[in-house]
Amino acid sequence: MPGSAPQPVPELPADPDLAEISGAPTKQIPPAAVARLTIYLRALTSLMGDGVERVSSESLAEASGVSSATLRKDLSHVGSYGTRGVGYEVQYLSRHITAALGLTHDWKVAIVGAGNLGKALARYGGFESRGFDVVAIFDADPMVVGNEVGWLRVSHVSDLETVVRRTGANMAVLALPAAVAQDVCDRVIAAGVNSVLSFAPVMLQVPDGVNLRKVDMATELQILAYHAQRAQAPGQTA
Amino acid sequence: MPGSAPQPVPELPADPDLAEISGAPTKQIPPAAVARLTIYLRALTSLMGDGVERVSSESLAEASGVSSATLRKDLSHVGSYGTRGVGYEVQYLSRHITAALGLTHDWKVAIVGAGNLGKALARYGGFESRGFDVVAIFDADPMVVGNEVGWLRVSHVSDLETVVRRTGANMAVLALPAAVAQDVCDRVIAAGVNSVLSFAPVMLQVPDGVNLRKVDMATELQILAYHAQRAQAPGQTA
DNA sequence: TAGATTGTTAATCGATTAACAATC
DNA sequence: TAGATTGTTAATCGATTAACAATC
């Protein structure tokens, strides 16, 4: 049985400019700040595309939909990469946020489930462009196994352990029915993956040390429904 | 120009048991609690499926992955529907959470974008089963327009205003490229929709009174990357 | 030097947790 | 009455905001 497989540790980049960050144990960044840093990164990438070289906290905050106070506070967790009276070098800041988020590592993603959602994810350009490499996709349906999806061929889920190890996948995305989610989740973890993103609408149990995030599309609509109902509530008579 | 279209207000149900909640202006529920209430609802639905009639805060909390203190605090925002010393009636509690979240309303969803993601969403059973009715799906590609997706045919996005009004859609899901997201978002809002769920990786601007939520799959992986990198950081030498 | 903008500090606000009185 | 479990209160914790001293 494959209890504790060797977790493939991605190698660090040799860029000396980032050494003190990617190597050293930086302080913990608050969860809320981590989520927003990914948004700043997207805004910075967009600015780079427009050839912008410098940006103030005020305008980067506006582009990201937060207050400049929040932005500066968040950046302070990453380090001091701005210049007072001037602003931030777009490239320089972008590189440091990237490093702080661990995106210089070599992330290899296995997608389990080759239905519409799995295929959508496999072909989604946003992954590749942000340093995530989709290295495998699985399905349980023999009719689907062998099909081409993007650059890949669909493997049978019974080969999950073998293929995960061969490809060195270190992240898994679960795009499959709720009923089989826990079972598959256990298997990818046993195969050495310790970061899982699940789209299945169930509570998954994972051991300590495994990172699990969930996206539930029905939940999102339900939250919208709550706010919409409040907004247009006719009974505001009190 | 279609500035302020008549927003279709979903009718209230005639269930007298829920009248005081669906009709009256209940207090605001904190955002964090709203998000979790949807999770409790899922757990309760699952319990009902198993024929369970009563549940304690302790076991419902466990099934939902939160502490019982958090659960009881969250439920207290909805009302007092438990019995001390006994627990909660599964059906009764479920109905009241449903009402508090506005899920007894008649929500009609238009999906814009019939690529893999749009198709995945249109066919996703979790919507129908939770009171969301997908009433239209759009695409800009003439090759895709007219195709069957689930029960629907794909409409051309140029007919967006017409079809949204005809179907009475009051929610929109954007499953389309970042480049066109803002434009389409403006149009669905102009057509009278005031709740939008976007999967496009861009910051969307919406007017006051419009509810916007975003799901960004690359962001989710980036957050996982941050935690994974910390967990296996080799440089914990300090 | 004068103007601009960062990084940080302190104050406010909201969310979570623990404990327990109320009550079935 | 004794045991169980809710609903609420008070304490803790974390996140956001505002203000400003540091400094380019």
Side-chain angles (χ1 to χ4, degrees):
Chain A
M1 71 171 201
S4 53
Q7 168 67 21
V9 177
E11 64 277 12
L12 299 176
D15 187 337
D17 191 21
L18 301 172
E20 97 261 19
I21 289 212
S22 18
T26 28
K27 298 151 208 70
Q28 166 101 349
I29 302 176
V34 171
R36 283 189 301 259
L37 284 168
T38 69
I39 298 173
Y40 308 151
L41 201 49
R42 193 161 70 198
L44 288 168
T45 304
S46 163
L47 287 172
M48 281 168 62
D50 296 348
V52 177
E53 296 190 341
R54 220 176 311 180
V55 69
S56 68
S57 64
E58 194 61 57
S59 59
L60 182 56
E62 199 196 335
S64 307
V66 301
S67 75
S68 70
T70 298
L71 179 116
R72 288 199 302 276
K73 183 92 214 198
D74 289 346
L75 293 185
S76 77
H77 294 111
V78 175
S80 302
Y81 299 114
T83 309
R84 290 169 200 232
V86 176
Y88 303 88
E89 290 280 335
V90 172
Q91 289 229 5
Y92 185 71
L93 181 59
S94 171
R95 265 207 310 275
H96 281 282
I97 296 178
T98 300
L101 290 177
L103 301 176
T104 51
H105 284 215
D106 210 24
W107 299 111
K108 293 180 185 155
V109 179
I111 296 174
V112 191
N116 282 302
L117 181 58
K119 284 191 285 188
L121 294 166
R123 291 174 182 154
Y124 175 46
F127 288 160
E128 311 289 324
S129 72
R130 288 181 239 187
F132 297 95
D133 209 7
V134 179
V135 296
I137 180 164
F138 300 92
D139 205 279
D141 182 350
M143 296 295 292
V144 171
V145 171
N147 286 359
E148 259 190 16
V149 174
W151 307 96
L152 298 167
R153 266 185 201 287
V154 178
S155 303
H156 196 280
V157 75
S158 64
D159 298 330
L160 194 139
E161 288 77 5
T162 321
V163 176
V164 162
R165 289 217 176 79
R166 175 163 48 73
T167 57
N170 47 18
M171 290 192 160
V173 175
L174 308 184
L176 37 69
V180 299
Q182 182 68 62
D183 178 58
V184 170
C185 183
D186 293 345
R187 287 176 59 199
V188 295
I189 291 167
V193 168
N194 59 17
S195 298
V196 177
L197 174 60
S198 172
F199 287 84
V202 273
M203 253 287 297
L204 295 176
Q205 304 291 344
V206 297
D208 274 9
V210 172
N211 303 298
L212 172 68
R213 290 190 66 85
K214 284 163 286 178
V215 174
D216 184 344
M217 301 179 284
T219 283
E220 295 296 328
L221 282 194
Q222 289 176 332
I223 295 172
L224 272 181
Y226 171 73
H227 293 291
Q229 166 231 28
R230 298 226 104 232
Q232 58 189 232
Q236 299 282 27
T237 37
Chain B
M1 74 177 203
S4 53
Q7 168 67 22
V9 177
E11 63 276 13
L12 300 175
D15 187 339
D17 192 21
L18 301 172
E20 97 265 17
I21 289 212
S22 16
T26 28
K27 298 153 208 65
Q28 166 100 349
I29 303 175
V34 171
R36 284 188 301 258
L37 283 168
T38 70
I39 298 172
Y40 307 151
L41 201 47
R42 192 160 71 198
L44 288 168
T45 304
S46 164
L47 288 173
M48 282 169 61
D50 295 350
V52 177
E53 296 190 343
R54 222 177 307 181
V55 70
S56 69
S57 64
E58 195 59 58
S59 61
L60 183 55
E62 199 197 333
S64 307
V66 302
S67 74
S68 70
T70 298
L71 178 115
R72 288 198 303 275
K73 182 92 215 198
D74 289 345
L75 292 185
S76 77
H77 294 112
V78 175
S80 303
Y81 299 115
T83 307
R84 288 168 201 234
V86 177
Y88 303 89
E89 290 281 335
V90 172
Q91 287 228 8
Y92 186 70
L93 181 59
S94 171
R95 266 209 309 277
H96 280 283
I97 296 178
T98 300
L101 290 178
L103 300 176
T104 52
H105 285 214
D106 208 25
W107 299 112
K108 294 180 184 154
V109 179
I111 297 174
V112 192
N116 283 302
L117 180 58
K119 283 192 285 188
L121 293 166
R123 291 172 183 155
Y124 175 46
F127 288 161
E128 311 288 325
S129 73
R130 285 181 241 188
F132 297 95
D133 207 9
V134 179
V135 296
I137 180 164
F138 300 92
D139 206 280
D141 183 349
M143 296 295 292
V144 172
V145 171
N147 286 359
E148 260 190 15
V149 175
W151 307 96
L152 298 167
R153 266 184 201 286
V154 177
S155 304
H156 196 280
V157 75
S158 65
D159 298 329
L160 193 140
E161 288 78 4
T162 320
V163 176
V164 163
R165 290 216 176 80
R166 174 162 51 72
T167 56
N170 48 18
M171 290 192 158
V173 176
L174 308 183
L176 36 68
V180 300
Q182 183 67 62
D183 179 57
V184 170
C185 184
D186 294 346
R187 286 176 60 199
V188 295
I189 291 167
V193 168
N194 60 18
S195 297
V196 177
L197 174 59
S198 172
F199 288 82
V202 273
M203 253 287 298
L204 295 175
Q205 303 292 343
V206 298
D208 274 10
V210 171
N211 303 297
L212 173 68
R213 290 189 65 84
K214 284 163 285 180
V215 174
D216 185 343
M217 301 178 284
T219 284
E220 296 298 326
L221 282 193
Q222 289 176 331
I223 295 172
L224 273 181
Y226 170 73
H227 293 291
Q229 164 231 31
R230 297 226 104 229
Q232 57 188 233
Q236 299 282 28
T237 36

